[in-house]
């Protein structure tokens, strides 16, 4: 008779290999999904840019209608306008958000999460530089309204506030999610999305951006985040890290004493 215990190591090895193959397939699926999101966002942004440059009438009409209606409301509700200024010029201002990302990056360096810190810095800097480049190339003028309630320098498309909010809040959640209790993560993502949407709304309501500017900022910011997150996930595959869902953040190991994978020595 065969000893059942003698076959146990073989079955265990097979089970481990099967779990590893399944994890690799899920990881590959996640990488493809990140690349797909980046591609879709990039294509959508390209189409929007084409419509803006071609002054597509339905989009121009939507821009004008949103600007006029929101401006009229802001003119007759000064307290509401003051709140919009506080949110847009202080709370969700690009300088404020970039400073918060810089502090978070410094903390990651302190935690010795070198690659995650590099990802945050590259994502934030790339978002800012790409936004400025596209603004200069497109050269779209900002809305001109009678009795404006706010002023902003530079070109209009895409909205720098909307783009910075998209990249910054994505950085916050993709980094900090592992540190939040699982029950709070959905709430955290909801707050992040509301902040991004709110940032765009304030820019249109204050009359310093067209709606299509804000939409362009959201799409371009999403493209940047998706591409850099895809690169980070590819690195995780190279070092043999296991699959993790996006809701758990880019690096769940951040909760450990040593987030970076240790080099194996013989």
């Amino acid at each position: 008779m065969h000893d059942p215990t003698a076959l146990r190591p073989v079955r265990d090895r097979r089970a481990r290999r099967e779990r590893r193959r399944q994890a690799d397939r899920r990881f590959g699926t996640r990488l493809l999904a990140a690349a797909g999101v980046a591609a879709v966002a990039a294509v959508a942004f390209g189409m929007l840019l084409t419509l803006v440059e071609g002054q597509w009438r339905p989009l121009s009409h939507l821009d004008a209608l949103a600007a006029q209606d929101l401006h009229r409301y802001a003119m007759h509700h000064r307290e509401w306008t003051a709140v919009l200024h506080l949110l847009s010029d202080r709370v969700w201002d690009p300088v404020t958000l970039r400073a918060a990302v810089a502090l978070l990056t410094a903390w990651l360096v302190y935690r010795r999460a070198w690659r995650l810190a590099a990802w945050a810095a590259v994502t934030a800097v790339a978002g800012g530089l790409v936004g400025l480049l596209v603004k200069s190339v497109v050269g779209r003028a900002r809305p001109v309204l009678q009795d404006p309630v706010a002023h902003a320098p530079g070109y209009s498309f895409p909205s720098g506030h909307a783009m910075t909010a998209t990249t910054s809040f994505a950085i916050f959640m993709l980094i900090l999610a592992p540190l939040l209790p699982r029950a709070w993560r959905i709430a955290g993502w909801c707050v992040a999305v509301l902040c991004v949407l709110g940032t765009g709304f304030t820019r249109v309501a204050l009359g310093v951006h067209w709606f299509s500017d804000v939409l362009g900022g959201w799409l371009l910011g999403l493209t940047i985040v998706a591409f850099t997150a895809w690169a980070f996930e590819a690195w995780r595959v190279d070092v043999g890290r296991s699959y993790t869902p996006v809701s758990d953040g880019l690096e769940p190991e951040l909760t450990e004493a040593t987030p970076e994978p240790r080099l194996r020595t013989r």
Side-chain angles (χ1 to χ4, degrees), residues 4 24 26 39 65 83-84 116 124 129 159 167 178 187 195 205 220 247 250:
D24 289 343
R26 291 194 297 268
L65 186 63
V83 173
L84 294 179
L116 194 59
L129 293 178
S159 166
T167 56
C195 287
L220 192 55
S247 58
L250 282 182

Side-chain angles (χ1 to χ4, degrees), residues 19 22 32 47 137 145-146 156 171 197 228 241 255:
R19 286 195 297 269
Q22 292 176 358
L32 290 176
M47 293 177 62
V137 171
L145 303 170
Q146 187 176 5
S156 191
I171 290 171
L197 295 177
T228 58
R241 283 279 171 89
T255 57

Side-chain angles (χ1 to χ4, degrees), residues 12-228:
D12 290 344
R13 284 195 299 271
R14 289 176 179 174
R16 285 195 297 269
R17 284 198 299 267
E18 180 61 25
R19 286 195 297 269
R20 183 58 181 270
R21 281 196 294 268
Q22 292 176 358
D24 289 343
R25 285 195 292 269
R26 291 194 297 268
F27 220 153
T29 301
R30 188 181 179 190
L31 282 176
L32 290 176
V37 170
V40 170
V43 170
F45 176 79
M47 293 177 62
L48 178 63
L49 177 58
T50 301
L51 296 177
V52 168
E53 290 280 56
Q55 298 181 352
W56 189 49
R57 185 170 298 178
L59 182 61
S60 299
H61 177 71
L62 176 61
D63 280 339
L65 186 63
Q68 292 169 5
D69 288 349
L70 290 174
H71 177 66
R72 189 179 303 112
Y73 188 87
M75 285 286 294
H76 294 88
H77 299 81
R78 292 296 180 177
E79 297 81 4
W80 170 246
T81 305
V83 173
L84 294 179
H85 272 292
L86 174 64
L87 293 173
S88 182
D89 301 339
R90 295 290 184 270
V91 180
W92 294 328
D93 182 71
V95 175
T96 303
L97 295 179
R98 288 167 185 159
V101 171
L103 289 175
L104 180 58
T105 303
W107 177 76
L108 290 173
V109 172
Y110 171 77
R111 288 279 287 110
R112 298 182 181 276
W114 312 110
R115 290 172 179 81
L116 194 59
W119 172 81
V122 168
T123 302
V125 172
L129 293 178
V130 170
L132 288 175
L133 177 61
V134 176
K135 275 180 179 286
S136 300
V137 171
V138 177
R140 189 187 198 187
R142 293 181 183 272
V144 178
L145 303 170
Q146 187 176 5
D147 299 324
V149 298
H151 299 275
Y155 293 120
S156 191
F157 183 90
S159 166
H161 277 68
M163 185 173 179
T164 303
T166 302
T167 56
S168 297
F169 283 103
I171 290 171
F172 297 153
M173 285 307 303
L174 289 174
I175 289 175
L176 297 177
L179 305 179
L180 296 175
R182 187 170 295 275
W184 291 10
R185 291 177 189 174
I186 295 178
W189 279 107
C190 290
V191 170
V193 171
L194 287 175
C195 287
V196 172
L197 295 177
T199 302
F201 176 80
T202 62
R203 302 308 285 169
V204 179
L206 289 172
V208 293
H209 275 295
W210 304 107
F211 168 73
S212 55
D213 298 336
V214 169
L215 182 58
W218 289 335
L219 289 172
L220 192 55
L222 178 61
T223 302
I224 296 295
V225 171
F227 270 120
T228 58

